[in-house]
């Protein structure tokens, strides 16, 4: 029996479980879309549908972060920086949450020059934006803005809302997990930790990407900013 | 829409139908998809990466692009479920037009497709010219697009550099790559630069460039291939082999790379490694554009070499695998007489190497019923000579090689192969042993230890008795010894025997002049 007692490789088990869960999520989200289409129009904006979609997206974000953070520690998280059309990229992220934004009467604005190109790892940055958007959807009153622009050779992407803003501890040390993970708000600080690590992995000519948090912006709410060299 | 998972296929099909796409076909595996692309010209292919045991999405893409069954203007989308692309990017000689990560929702897929289709429409004038192989026209259209500015600058620079490279205009290609690299370290541009340096035969620069790429992006498979070629050009064949070895360890399914590795390992006489590479070409190449008779034949040749004279279990299993491989080859290329002939000759050798004389004679009889010896072309002729040696029919083999030398000897490459067979018609282990002893003998000779040198060369000649260089080396040592230590009849007799051993070489042989020279010198000593 000794030879059978081989420990399973955790990375392999996790990768294949994540793979499987993502297939399930695909089916789940697609079924949801189909159901919404079959509903009479007055029921389409139902909050329950939006909640279903919101929670499924959150599970997806968690899966991305889970695998990502494991691989950060394993130092095997490679970034694949390629050229992307930023406005197309932002539109694709936002469209995932259309149902949710409509159901919660959130006004979502995207502001980006059509010709703006950026150099980044599409999947990793998409993971960060999705996580930030789901959080913004949770904390905003009724407005979210997603904008991207170039400043001094940096690609800057900002997400603004008109909620209450970030708690002070988070503003002081964005992306740091200081006293372990607070399980009440755990997901948020883990998300920011992941975001700051991914930003840092984007390097160019001696410069490293970074994230910033502030309260204020156009509407006085929270502002999440990621800058990539 | 290609996926092995029916629910997923149906759900994507439903989505794209909802976008107004009229003609949608589905395939549940890579081979099916490739077949469908034979009979239809698709504008968009959506393909899952991970499809169980069959071809993965990257291989489907490779096959389609390589065989030009998918046009440059068509869009290939690779669907992945992994968060990070490492696994997928492992084998990207050919890049998909986009990666889409699961989970896929209708809204996000539509956005993505809209973007890709808009880009396809905008760039269609250029990609059409590329599909028509009208490269100069494509170049001028790219230049025009670049003047317009806008979002396609990056695409245009990359395409333009590739077009310059393809038309042999390395100077312009290099300028673009260097300009891009001056602004930002971009992997495809760095690899492009390495390719250009390789094209300009600036091998040292290419080696340095490509080594840097691999150091920073070990998953960039393309870079290993170019690096191996550059190293090979510089004669650094062992390093070239180990470079390709690293690449196939990371991504074993790329068949041209395995073929390259097989050839290199054979040149380096690393027959185990060569067998492994050819084995992979057979395993992964079935039903692909890369399935070639040589994959089967080379694997069988290596296995034949490995099993020759080895009657242990290991040797037997090599021989068995060789016969199985030959069986597959003759079945798959039934109508190709040349393949049948080559396969039979290798089969003859395998039997001979396993001391199965009856079986070996039987297959040789079939060879002879297929072709007359004087009708053999150079490739089949060399195979035949090799086989005759394995059957201990040295005289027939030599006669055949002489007639081949007469017919084809003006080609130096061919002559080298004829010489190699003439010089060392023994199995690989013995070849290597004889070479080591030869080296040792030469070094003893240089140190002036003539007696030891004689013993060593004699030992080598027991392994390859008719090797011209070895025999002539021994003659020279003996003459030097007689020169310094005086006449010795035993040595004289030995030298005479050595020269007789070499008498079989044709005048085209590179040792022929030396042979003639030593014959006349020896006759002077005798007189």
């Amino acid at each position: 029996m000794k030879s059978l007692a081989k420990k399973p490789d955790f990375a392999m088990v996790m990768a294949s479980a994540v793979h499987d869960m993502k297939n399930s999520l695909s089916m789940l989200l697609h079924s949801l879309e189909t159901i919404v289409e079959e509903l009479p129009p007055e029921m389409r904006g139902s909050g329950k549908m939006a909640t279903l979609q919101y929670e499924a997206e959150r599970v997806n974000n968690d899966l991305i972060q889970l695998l990502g953070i494991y691989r950060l520690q394993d130092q095997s998280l490679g970034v694949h920086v390629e050229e992307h059309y930023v406005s197309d990229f932002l539109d694709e992220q936002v469209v995932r949450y259309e149902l949710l934004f409509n159901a919660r009467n959130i006004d979502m604005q995207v502001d980006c020059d059509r010709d703006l190109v950026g150099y980044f790892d599409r999947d990793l940055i998409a993971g960060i934006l999705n996580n930030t958007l789901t959080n913004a959807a949770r904390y905003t009153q009724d407005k979210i803005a997603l904008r991207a622009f170039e400043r001094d050779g940096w690609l800057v992407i900002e997400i603004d809302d008109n909620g209450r803003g970030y708690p002070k501890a988070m503003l002081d040390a964005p992306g740091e997990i200081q006293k372990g993970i607070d399980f009440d708000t755990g997901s948020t600080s883990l998300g920011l930790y992941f975001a700051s690590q991914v930003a840092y992995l984007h390097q160019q000519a001696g410069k490293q990407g970074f994230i910033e948090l502030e309260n204020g912006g156009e509407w006085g709410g929270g502002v999440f900013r990621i800058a990539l060299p | 829409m290609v996926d092995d998972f029916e629910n997923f296929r149906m759900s994507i099909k439903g989505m794209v139908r909802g976008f107004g796409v009229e003609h949608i076909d589905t395939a549940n595996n890579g081979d099916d998809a490739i077949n469908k692309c034979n009979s239809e010209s698709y504008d968009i292919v959506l393909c899952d990466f991970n499809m169980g045991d069959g071809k993965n999405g990257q291989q489907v893409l490779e096959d389609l692009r390589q065989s030009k069954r998918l046009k440059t203007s068509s869009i290939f989308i690779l669907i992945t479920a992994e968060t990070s692309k490492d696994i997928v990017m492992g084998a990207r000689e050919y890049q998909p037009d986009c990666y889409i990560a699961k989970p896929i929702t209708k809204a996000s897929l539509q956005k993505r497709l809209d973007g890709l289709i808009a880009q396809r429409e905008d760039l269609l004038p250029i990609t059409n010219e590329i599909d028509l192989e009208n490269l100069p026209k494509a170049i001028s259209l790219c230049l025009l697009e670049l003047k317009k500015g806008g979002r396609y600058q990056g695409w245009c620079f990359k395409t333009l550099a590739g077009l310059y490279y393809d038309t042999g205009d390395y100077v312009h290609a290099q300028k673009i790559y260097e300009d891009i690299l001056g602004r930002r370290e971009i992997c495809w541009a760095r690899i492009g630069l390495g390719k250009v340096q390789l094209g300009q035969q600036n091998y040292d620069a290419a080696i340095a460039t490509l080594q840097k790429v691999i150091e920073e992006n070990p998953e960039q498979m393309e870079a290993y291939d170019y690096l191996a070629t550059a190293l090979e050009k510089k004669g650094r064949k062992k390093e070239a082999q180990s470079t390709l070895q690293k690449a196939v360890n990371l991504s074993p399914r790329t068949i041209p790379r395995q073929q390259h590795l097989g050839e290199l390992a054979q040149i380096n006489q690393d027959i185990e490694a060569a067998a492994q590479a050819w084995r992979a070409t057979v395993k992964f190449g079935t039903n692909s554009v890369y399935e070639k008779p040589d994959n089967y034949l080379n694997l069988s040749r290596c296995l034949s070499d490995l099993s020759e004279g080895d009657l242990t279990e290991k040797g037997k299993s090599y021989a068995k695998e060789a016969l199985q491989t030959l069986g597959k080859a003759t079945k798959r290329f039934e109508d190709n007489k040349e393949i049948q002939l080559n396969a039979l000759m290798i089969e003859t050798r395998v039997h001979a190497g396993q001391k199965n004389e009856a079986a070996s004679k039987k297959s040789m009889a079939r060879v002879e019923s297929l072709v007359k010896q004087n009708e053999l072309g150079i490739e089949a002729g060399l195979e035949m000579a090799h086989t005759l040696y394995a059957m201990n029919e040295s005289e027939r083999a030599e006669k055949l090689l002489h007639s081949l030398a007469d017919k084809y000897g003006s080609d130096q490459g061919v002559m080298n192969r004829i010489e190699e067979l003439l010089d060392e018609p023994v199995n690989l282990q013995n070849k290597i042993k004889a070479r080591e002893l030869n080296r040792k003998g030469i070094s003893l000779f240089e140190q002036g230890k003539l007696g030891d040198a004689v013993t060593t060369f004699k030992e080598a000649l027991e392994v390859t008795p008719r090797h011209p260089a070895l025999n002539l080396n021994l003659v020279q040592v003996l003459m030097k010894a007689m020169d310094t230590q005086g006449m010795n009849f035993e040595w004289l007799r030995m030298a005479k025997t050595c020269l007789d051993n070499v008498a079989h070489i044709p005048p085209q042989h590179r040792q022929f002049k030396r042979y003639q020279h030593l014959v006349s010198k020896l006759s002077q000593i005798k007189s």
Side-chain angles (χ1 to χ4, degrees):
Chain A
M1 288 303 284
K2 243 182 192 167
S3 62
L4 288 176
K6 224 171 94 186
K7 264 194 190 164
D9 174 10
F10 180 67
M12 282 294 293
V13 172
M14 184 164 70
S16 88
V18 167
H19 179 96
D20 201 43
M21 285 188 270
K22 282 178 157 261
N23 268 329
S24 297
L25 277 174
S26 270
M27 297 312 298
L28 197 137
L29 284 164
H30 178 63
S31 306
L32 190 63
E33 279 181 331
T34 324
I35 292 171
V36 170
E37 276 165 20
E38 286 165 3
L39 287 175
E42 65 274 16
M43 285 179 70
R44 283 189 193 171
S46 146
K48 282 178 188 147
M49 287 298 167
T51 305
L52 270 173
Q53 193 205 28
Y54 174 73
E55 295 301 333
E57 289 288 359
R58 266 171 44 88
V59 171
N60 186 41
N61 290 337
D62 284 347
L63 287 176
I64 293 176
Q65 280 170 24
L66 181 70
L67 200 57
I69 289 172
Y70 174 80
R71 299 187 59 198
L72 271 173
Q73 286 175 352
D74 193 39
Q75 298 198 325
S76 67
L77 186 73
V79 284
H80 296 290
V81 174
E82 287 184 353
E83 186 186 274
H84 300 289
Y85 304 127
V86 182
S87 72
D88 290 2
F89 173 71
L90 298 185
D91 284 345
E92 280 154 30
Q93 310 316 317
V94 166
V95 84
R96 300 185 98 97
Y97 301 98
E98 227 160 38
L99 195 62
L100 177 73
F101 294 145
N102 288 343
R104 300 207 177 156
N105 287 318
I106 296 170
D107 173 30
M108 174 79 224
Q109 301 165 2
V110 180
D111 181 13
C112 176
D113 186 306
R114 199 183 110 82
D115 287 341
L116 180 64
V117 293
Y119 295 87
F120 51 86
D121 184 307
R122 186 177 198 108
D123 289 347
L124 290 175
I125 301 298
I128 293 170
L129 294 190
N130 281 312
N131 189 53
T132 315
L133 283 171
T134 47
N135 281 318
R138 189 162 155 190
Y139 294 110
T140 190
Q141 278 181 37
D142 58 0
K143 275 187 182 22
I144 302 175
L146 172 60
R147 69 179 81 83
F149 48 88
E150 197 199 308
R151 189 165 60 197
D152 306 330
W154 294 75
L155 172 69
V156 182
I157 305 176
E158 284 180 355
I159 298 177
D160 244 28
D161 65 47
N162 64 347
R164 276 173 300 156
Y166 289 99
K168 189 173 181 309
M170 233 181 243
L171 287 176
D172 293 343
E176 272 177 40
I177 303 176
Q178 285 166 331
K179 299 166 201 153
I181 297 166
D182 176 353
F183 280 93
D184 291 334
T185 58
S187 133
T188 314
S189 78
L190 202 60
L192 288 173
Y193 168 73
F194 184 60
S196 71
Q197 295 296 313
V198 167
Y200 182 79
L201 286 174
H202 283 77
Q203 306 194 347
Q204 147 72 7
K207 288 178 252 171
Q208 284 110 17
F210 57 89
I211 62 166
E212 280 176 348
L213 299 179
E214 62 181 55
N215 289 335
E218 214 175 310
W219 304 306
V223 181
F224 170 87
R225 183 177 300 123
I226 181 163
L228 303 170
Chain B
M1 171 60 218
V2 192
D3 197 315
D4 56 339
F5 187 33
E6 200 200 342
N7 277 338
F8 196 77
R9 243 172 17 239
M10 290 307 135
S11 96
I12 298 282
K13 192 176 169 178
M15 286 184 201
V16 290
R17 174 163 295 140
F19 307 157
V21 178
E22 280 175 14
H23 185 150
I24 309 159
D25 285 338
T26 56
N28 61 8
N29 62 58
D31 290 330
D32 189 15
I34 290 163
N35 284 334
K36 287 208 158 83
C37 286
N38 261 336
S39 42
E40 275 283 352
S41 170
Y42 296 100
D43 296 316
I44 303 175
V45 177
L46 284 140
C47 184
D48 192 38
F49 175 75
N50 188 344
M51 294 188 286
D53 295 333
K55 283 199 177 70
N56 66 38
Q58 180 66 40
Q59 288 175 297
V60 174
L61 167 67
E62 228 167 79
D63 201 309
L64 291 178
R65 292 272 193 231
Q66 175 84 14
S67 61
K68 301 208 187 276
R69 272 179 276 214
L70 195 65
K71 291 178 294 181
T72 315
S73 52
S74 299
I75 298 169
F76 189 98
I77 298 168
L78 198 60
I79 299 170
T80 66
E82 287 77 18
T83 323
S84 173
K85 283 177 245 158
D86 282 0
I87 310 157
V88 183
M89 308 266 281
R92 45 173 232 169
E93 278 76 4
Y94 292 90
Q95 284 182 35
D97 296 281
C98 106
Y99 295 93
I100 295 187
K102 288 178 182 177
I104 296 175
T105 64
K106 188 173 171 180
S108 63
L109 180 62
Q110 180 158 21
K111 272 279 174 224
R112 210 69 197 270
L113 280 178
D114 284 349
L116 285 165
I117 291 169
Q119 168 163 357
R120 174 181 182 268
E121 297 289 312
D122 289 341
L123 299 172
L124 201 56
I126 302 174
T127 50
N128 264 345
E129 295 301 337
I130 297 175
D131 281 332
L132 293 170
E133 305 273 348
N134 200 350
L135 305 189
K137 178 89 202 214
I139 289 176
S140 57
L141 288 175
C142 267
L143 289 168
L144 222 73
E145 179 67 38
L146 277 171
K147 267 194 198 141
K148 280 194 226 159
R151 57 161 41 186
Y152 299 125
Q153 304 270 305
W155 185 92
C156 280
F157 275 125
K158 187 177 178 183
T159 306
L160 191 56
L163 287 167
Y164 279 137
Y165 176 83
D166 288 341
T167 52
D169 185 349
Y170 296 134
V171 175
H172 275 101
Q174 180 168 10
K175 171 123 191 7
I176 296 180
Y177 290 133
E178 281 173 349
D179 282 354
I180 290 169
L181 290 168
R183 288 194 295 271
R184 176 179 281 271
E185 185 58 41
I186 292 191
C187 200
W188 59 257
R190 182 69 63 191
I191 294 177
L193 183 62
K195 264 170 79 173
V196 167
Q197 289 163 334
L198 191 57
Q200 290 168 326
Q201 308 189 344
N202 192 352
Y203 301 125
D204 289 321
I207 290 168
T209 303
L210 294 161
Q211 276 173 340
K212 180 175 149 82
V213 172
I214 293 172
E215 210 172 281
E216 286 164 15
N217 309 275
E219 82 284 2
Q220 283 293 342
M221 294 296 117
E222 229 181 334
Y224 292 84
D225 297 327
Y226 294 121
L227 176 59
T229 307
L231 287 167
E232 205 181 340
K233 294 278 185 195
K234 288 293 280 183
R236 293 156 70 177
K237 297 205 164 103
K238 290 243 162 68
E239 287 167 84
Q241 183 187 335
S242 72
T243 300
L244 288 180
Q245 200 78 56
K246 269 183 222 146
V248 305
N249 290 345
L250 290 166
S251 157
R253 284 170 168 266
T254 309
I255 294 150
R257 179 178 308 130
Q258 294 277 14
Q259 288 166 335
H260 191 183
L261 176 58
E263 283 160 12
L264 258 175
Q266 259 172 304
I267 293 170
N268 290 335
Q269 302 201 321
D270 185 348
I271 302 300
E272 299 254 6
Q276 189 136 8
W278 291 117
R279 197 177 280 127
T281 66
V282 169
K283 184 175 167 201
F284 300 126
T286 316
N287 294 325
S288 81
V289 279
Y290 303 113
E291 180 171 21
K292 303 226 163 66
D294 274 348
N295 298 349
Y296 294 86
L297 295 180
N298 281 324
L299 171 58
S300 313
R301 288 182 183 117
C302 293
L303 292 166
S304 165
D305 280 356
L306 287 168
S307 66
E308 193 177 328
D310 181 355
L311 300 179
T312 65
E313 282 309 310
K314 199 173 162 202
K316 275 185 202 157
S317 93
Y318 281 137
K320 193 174 155 204
E321 190 188 350
L323 295 175
Q324 281 169 348
T325 309
L326 290 166
K328 270 190 238 160
T330 41
K331 228 182 242 158
R332 295 195 77 82
F333 305 96
E334 219 167 4
D335 303 324
N336 188 331
K337 191 182 154 197
E338 206 171 320
I339 307 305
Q340 306 289 326
L341 192 63
N342 274 299
L344 272 173
M345 290 195 274
I346 300 167
E347 186 186 318
T348 307
R349 280 210 301 280
V350 175
H351 289 312
Q354 291 292 299
K355 311 281 179 239
N356 188 347
E357 212 173 306
S360 133
K361 284 207 165 123
K362 210 171 127 196
S363 31
M364 185 47 113
R366 288 179 60 202
V367 172
E368 284 164 337
S369 75
L370 278 174
V371 69
K372 289 202 188 76
Q373 192 160 322
N374 56 11
E375 287 169 1
L376 289 170
I378 179 66
E379 291 302 326
L382 288 169
E383 190 93 72
M384 183 69 165
H386 191 174
T387 308
L388 288 169
Y389 276 125
M391 297 177 77
N392 281 324
E393 299 206 36
S394 304
E395 265 177 52
R396 272 183 73 192
E398 275 166 20
K399 226 179 112 196
L400 174 59
L401 288 171
H402 275 256
S403 79
L404 291 173
D406 284 343
K407 265 195 254 180
Y408 305 101
S410 54
D411 178 335
Q412 193 51 50
V414 169
M415 201 54 219
N416 288 346
R417 292 168 67 194
I418 292 175
E419 281 176 17
E420 199 182 327
L421 269 175
L422 272 176
D423 295 356
E424 304 173 303
V426 291
N427 73 31
L428 192 78
Q429 280 86 352
N430 284 340
K431 260 185 211 175
I432 291 168
K433 189 175 165 198
R435 281 179 201 181
E436 273 167 13
L437 287 168
N438 187 25
R439 260 198 298 275
K440 195 175 148 199
I442 291 170
S443 117
L444 288 167
F445 174 69
E446 281 165 353
Q447 293 163 34
K449 298 179 181 163
L450 299 181
D452 291 340
V454 170
T455 323
T456 310
F457 282 123
K458 273 171 74 183
E459 200 185 328
L461 282 171
E462 275 166 32
V463 185
T464 55
R466 288 156 77 87
H467 190 292
L470 256 179
N471 276 293
L472 299 181
N473 286 347
L474 181 51
V475 172
Q476 264 184 317
V477 177
L478 293 167
M479 290 204 298
K480 172 89 176 174
M482 286 187 279
D483 210 28
T484 51
Q485 296 163 29
M487 203 39 195
N488 178 322
F489 281 104
E490 199 205 319
W491 288 351
L492 198 61
R493 227 181 1 258
M494 204 190 288
K496 174 79 178 48
T497 316
C498 286
L499 289 174
D500 288 346
N501 284 342
V502 185
H504 66 281
I505 63 174
Q508 297 94 333
H509 197 288
R510 97 187 81 169
Q511 297 286 346
F512 191 74
K513 272 199 183 135
R514 187 173 167 219
Y515 163 69
Q516 279 186 315
H517 173 73
L518 288 172
V519 168
S520 79
K521 255 190 119 177
L522 195 72
S523 62
Q524 282 165 22
I525 294 178
K526 271 197 278 186
S527 61

